[in-house]
């Protein structure tokens, strides 16, 4: 769709500069599409927590809170309760009266409610957030709420101040968000302490005869974090077994090649044999932490981590991961790992927290205790339910204040609810031409997304609906 819109714009013929920009973005969009698809396949391959789609399905299969409404009942609900309209059709629910404790709200994806006088909030899913047909004009009592658990790869323009501050309520990976999803890939504290997959050090040492000290499994190649450049460089100093599509040098056993068979724990068993796992996120953002970190910790393998710069805030203990940023060059990192590989006492120090079941990080313990949603746990609400109810409560709070003649309580997203620095490429003396071309696209993409964010802000503040064409004209102005 974007492509068509862009072609239109092209047709309206701006200067060559514009065309150049378009070409670059088009390429980025195409690459984005490719890598996203890969990510989806990969997430099943890597046996990570269920992706959103699956969680949704699971949640609604159980019909936990779902009630079926006759038209009459719906009509009644709609006149009595605030309507919270999912502008991204994430839940697929045409209409449901949701119970959030004592507060009831009507949740729907049916856009005909846009102009209903009971409509109090619009809910957006970041990945689907589209400049096309936003619910404008926005009335004073129209709260906008954003749910976005993903990295910036999946919609860069939301990660800038002009856009993120359009929202009143947020649920993002950031600890600063109204509903922080930072631990979204961690099922519970018990899985970290569990010794279920752990392989004794003697066994790991003997396995070293046929396995490298390090393992890497990634099939979403060349993302904004530029991890493949780093790992590629690292590989010239130390042996790495790479099973994924990126930097592939070792095949999985035949019976594991089919991603569907990945769920059965045999993949875990393979990874658990290693001493170190390269745990590199696809983007570098504070608090953006995925199963890439938690998985090695669960398995009793030492993560060599690159991603969230403040990761130390979330680690189970002070000595539970090796942080790539503490080393000036992959060469130094390789040296350190080699030293640990030949010194059992030093190596085991990184697993002591697990062997003793001693998680000393208060922030992590508190976050896990206080979160109101579960991961792959049907006995708990999922984070979408909790997000919906957070908005429902806030909307009701303001309805009650108004009834009593008070001013509404104001809610606004801050820039730190969703922000990631500009992607950075690793620069090593051994240039890698193949990687550079792809990786250099993330930076133009980021730069352009800043312009998109500004244009969007301007148009939303004008508070009239606008066409995609108007938007792109503004983006490519000057
Ligand atoms: C959307 O709501 C309208 C009433 O506002 C109803 O007539 C229509 O059937 C609904 N559409 C769907 C798909 O449920
Ligand atoms: C890590 O060590 C520092 C001091 O060395 C201490 O203040 C902090 O609480 C420790 N953190 C964890 C998670 O154990
Ligand atoms: C929601 O945000 C908009 C735009 O910043 C603002 O005008 C409105 O007052 C906010 N609503 C609440 C309830 O804070
Ligand atoms: C704005 O909305 C009106 C009514 O829905 C529609 O007729 C018009 O085409 C829209 N304008 C743009 C620029 O999308």
């Amino acid at each position: 769709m974007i492509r068509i819109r862009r072609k239109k714009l092209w047709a309206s013929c701006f200067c060559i500069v514009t065309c150049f920009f378009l070409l670059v973005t088009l390429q980025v969009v195409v690459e984005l599409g490719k890598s996203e698809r890969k990510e989806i396949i990969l997430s099943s391959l890597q046996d990570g927590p269920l992706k959103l789609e699956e969680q949704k399905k699971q949640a609604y299969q159980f019909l936990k809170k779902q009630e079926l409404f006759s038209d009459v009942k719906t009509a009644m609900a709609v006149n009595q309760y605030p309507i919270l309209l999912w502008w991204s059709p994430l839940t697929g629910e045409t209409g449901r009266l949701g119970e959030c404790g004592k507060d009831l709200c009507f949740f729907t994806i049916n856009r005909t409610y846009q102009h209903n006088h009971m409509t109090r909030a619009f809910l957006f899913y970041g990945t689907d957030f589209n400049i096309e047909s936003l619910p404008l004009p926005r009335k004073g009592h129209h709260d906008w709420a954003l749910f976005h658990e993903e990295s910036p790869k999946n919609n860069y323009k939301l990660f800038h101040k002009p856009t993120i501050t359009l929202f009143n309520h947020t649920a993002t990976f950031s600890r600063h968000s109204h509903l922080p999803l930072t631990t979204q890939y961690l099922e519970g504290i018990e899985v970290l302490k569990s010794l279920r997959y752990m392989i004794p050090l003697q066994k790991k040492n003997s396995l070293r005869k046929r396995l490298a000290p390090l393992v890497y499994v990634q099939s979403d190649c060349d993302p904004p974090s530029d991890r493949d450049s780093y790992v590629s460089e690292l590989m010239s100093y130390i042996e790495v077994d790479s099973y994924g599509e990126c930097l592939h040098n070792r095949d999985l056993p035949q019976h594991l090649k089919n991603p569907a068979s990945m769920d059965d724990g045999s993949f875990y068993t393979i990874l658990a044999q290693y001493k170190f796992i390269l745990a590199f996120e696809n983007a570098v953002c504070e608090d953006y932490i995925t199963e890439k970190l938690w998985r090695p910790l669960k398995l009793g393998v030492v993560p060599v981590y690159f991603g969230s710069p403040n990761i130390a805030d979330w680690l189970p203990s002070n000595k539970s991961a090796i942080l790539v940023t503490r080393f000036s060059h992959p060469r130094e990192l390789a040296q350190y790992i080699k030293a640990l590989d030949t010194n059992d006492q030093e190596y085991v120090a990184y697993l002591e927290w697990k062997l003793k079941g001693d998680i000393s990080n208060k922030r992590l313990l508190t976050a896990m205790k206080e979160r109101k949603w579960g991961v792959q746990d049907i006995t708990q609400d999922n984070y979408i339910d909790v997000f919906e109810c957070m908005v429902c409560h806030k909307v009701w709070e303001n309805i009650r204040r108004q009834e009593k003649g008070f001013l509404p309580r104001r809610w606004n997203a801050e820039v730190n609810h969703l922000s990631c620095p500009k992607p950075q490429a690793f620069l090593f003396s051994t240039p890698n031409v193949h990687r550079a071309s792809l990786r250099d696209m993330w930076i133009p993409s980021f730069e352009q997304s800043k312009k998109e964010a500004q244009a969007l802000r301007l148009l939303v503040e004008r508070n009239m609906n606008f066409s995609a064409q108007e938007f792109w004209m503004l983006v490519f102005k000057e």
Side-chain angles (χ1 to χ4, degrees):
M1 278 187 312
I2 292 170
R3 204 198 287 243
I4 293 165
R5 253 184 275 127
R6 290 187 184 178
K7 282 203 174 140
K8 257 195 222 162
L9 177 63
W10 210 350
S12 63
C13 201
F14 281 96
C15 58
I16 295 161
V17 181
T18 312
C19 295
F20 169 74
F21 263 117
L22 279 171
L23 271 170
V24 172
T25 9
L26 251 171
Q27 243 176 317
V28 171
V29 167
V30 170
E31 288 302 334
L32 256 167
K34 272 194 215 157
S35 48
E36 267 163 42
R37 248 172 284 129
K38 276 190 208 151
E39 185 109 291
I40 290 164
I41 296 163
L42 186 80
S43 66
S44 60
L45 186 96
Q46 292 191 337
D47 192 16
L50 295 184
K51 276 300 204 191
L52 214 50
E53 296 295 322
E54 288 165 59
Q55 291 205 359
K56 270 181 304 177
K57 262 188 244 144
Q58 216 179 52
Y60 296 108
Q61 267 163 14
F62 283 89
L63 300 171
K64 198 165 35 170
K65 294 181 194 165
Q66 198 162 17
E67 293 164 41
L68 297 171
F69 276 87
S70 66
D71 289 349
V72 179
K73 266 179 157 176
T74 303
M76 275 167 57
V78 159
N79 284 320
Q80 282 173 28
Y81 302 105
I83 298 170
L84 273 48
L85 177 50
W86 269 107
W87 204 248
S88 329
L90 185 68
T91 61
E93 288 178 320
T94 50
R96 168 178 70 98
L97 189 61
E99 237 180 274
C100 300
K102 278 178 276 172
D103 295 334
L104 296 172
C105 290
F106 186 75
F107 296 98
T108 180
I109 61 163
N110 187 335
R111 287 192 177 187
T112 61
Y113 291 115
Q114 180 185 350
H115 302 292
N116 191 295
H117 70 287
M118 293 302 285
T119 296
R120 300 295 297 245
F122 293 88
L123 314 184
F124 301 88
Y125 177 45
T127 303
D128 298 344
F129 182 87
N130 199 328
I131 51 104
E132 215 167 353
S133 68
L134 287 173
L136 295 171
R138 176 181 181 178
K139 301 215 169 88
H141 59 273
H142 283 171
D143 289 12
W144 282 17
L146 177 71
F147 182 95
H148 194 46
E149 88 294 15
E150 300 259 15
S151 88
K153 232 184 121 207
N154 286 335
N155 206 342
Y156 257 125
K157 66 179 161 305
L158 293 171
F159 289 71
H160 301 289
K161 192 174 178 201
T163 335
I164 186 64
T165 56
L166 290 173
F167 297 93
N168 300 97
H169 318 291
T170 63
T172 70
F173 55 75
S174 166
R175 74 183 75 181
H176 303 292
S177 134
H178 296 121
L179 178 63
L181 307 172
T182 319
T183 59
Q184 60 179 311
Y185 289 94
L186 181 59
E187 296 93 326
I189 287 293
E190 324 74 56
V191 299
L192 289 177
K193 290 185 183 175
S194 161
L195 301 177
R196 183 173 161 201
Y197 293 99
M198 193 153 175
I199 292 186
L201 183 54
Q202 274 85 357
K203 178 97 187 285
K204 284 191 186 182
N205 279 336
S206 77
L207 283 164
R208 279 280 289 107
K209 290 189 200 93
R210 58 180 179 86
L211 301 178
L214 278 157
V215 64
Y216 185 56
V217 186
Q218 219 58 73
S219 293
D220 168 23
C221 308
D222 298 304
S225 68
D226 199 26
R227 61 186 168 206
D228 297 300
S229 295
Y230 192 95
V231 175
S232 162
E233 181 74 12
L234 183 67
M235 281 172 155
S236 50
Y237 303 101
I238 190 166
E239 226 187 313
V240 176
D241 285 345
S242 178
Y243 291 98
E245 260 183 59
C246 321
L247 305 169
H248 179 94
N249 64 12
R250 195 171 178 129
D251 291 333
L252 285 167
Q254 201 57 41
H255 70 284
L256 283 179
K257 288 223 173 108
N258 170 15
S261 69
M262 278 297 177
D263 296 332
D264 62 7
S266 29
F267 183 53
Y268 276 13
T269 314
I270 291 183
L271 294 182
Q273 300 175 307
Y274 285 86
K275 288 177 129 178
F276 306 91
I277 292 182
L278 289 169
F280 280 48
E281 305 290 2
N282 69 16
V284 173
C285 314
E286 301 222 317
D287 297 338
Y288 179 64
I289 306 165
T290 69
E291 80 287 351
K292 289 176 189 71
L293 173 74
W294 307 119
R295 186 190 295 129
L297 294 172
K298 283 193 252 181
L299 301 180
V301 179
V302 177
V304 176
Y305 184 82
F306 179 70
S308 171
N310 55 8
I311 191 64
D313 285 356
W314 298 104
L315 292 173
S317 85
N318 269 339
K319 207 154 188 181
S320 48
I322 295 169
L323 307 185
V324 167
T325 49
R326 303 259 163 101
F327 297 85
S328 57
H329 192 274
R331 197 187 317 112
E332 318 291 322
L333 175 63
Q335 249 164 34
Y336 186 68
I337 291 172
K338 281 179 181 168
L340 290 184
D341 187 31
T342 51
N343 185 333
D344 286 354
Q345 208 182 339
E346 285 291 310
Y347 174 77
V348 131
Y350 280 93
L351 296 170
E352 204 175 276
W353 67 273
K354 190 173 178 81
L355 291 164
K356 289 189 176 159
D358 178 20
I359 293 179
S360 57
N361 184 342
K362 298 254 160 33
R363 184 194 305 276
L364 177 64
L365 291 171
T366 308
M368 293 303 286
K369 202 166 102 197
E370 288 180 352
R371 84 180 187 192
K372 296 190 169 62
W373 39 273
V375 176
Q376 295 192 46
D377 180 357
I378 51 156
T379 67
Q380 290 188 60
D381 285 337
N382 69 26
Y383 49 26
I384 300 169
D385 298 330
V386 177
F387 170 70
E388 288 182 336
C389 279
M390 171 183 81
V391 181
C392 177
H393 287 311
K394 287 175 171 176
V395 159
W396 265 111
E397 185 187 338
N398 275 344
I399 292 174
R400 292 193 189 104
R401 289 176 69 94
Q402 234 169 348
E403 279 167 358
K404 291 186 196 140
F406 295 139
L407 284 171
R409 184 160 169 201
R410 294 287 168 215
W411 296 94
N412 282 103
E414 307 277 337
V415 64
N416 61 8
H417 289 205
L418 202 58
S419 98
C420 294
K422 181 167 146 181
Q424 295 234 323
F426 286 108
L427 292 172
F428 301 119
S429 45
T430 36
N432 193 326
V433 181
H434 167 69
R435 306 229 107 75
S437 66
L438 182 58
R439 141 188 113 197
D440 289 349
M441 269 190 292
W442 290 111
I443 294 167
S445 164
F446 179 86
E447 294 299 345
Q448 189 193 297
S449 71
K450 282 202 257 182
K451 293 186 188 165
E452 291 177 15
Q454 264 156 14
L456 186 64
R457 175 99 202 176
L458 218 75
L459 290 168
V460 171
E461 278 178 350
R462 197 184 61 175
N463 212 16
M464 290 189 298
N465 65 346
F466 58 88
S467 66
Q469 205 161 350
E470 277 175 273
F471 171 75
W472 290 112
M473 300 244 294
L474 211 54
V475 172
F476 292 111
K477 204 179 62 182
E478 101 239 0

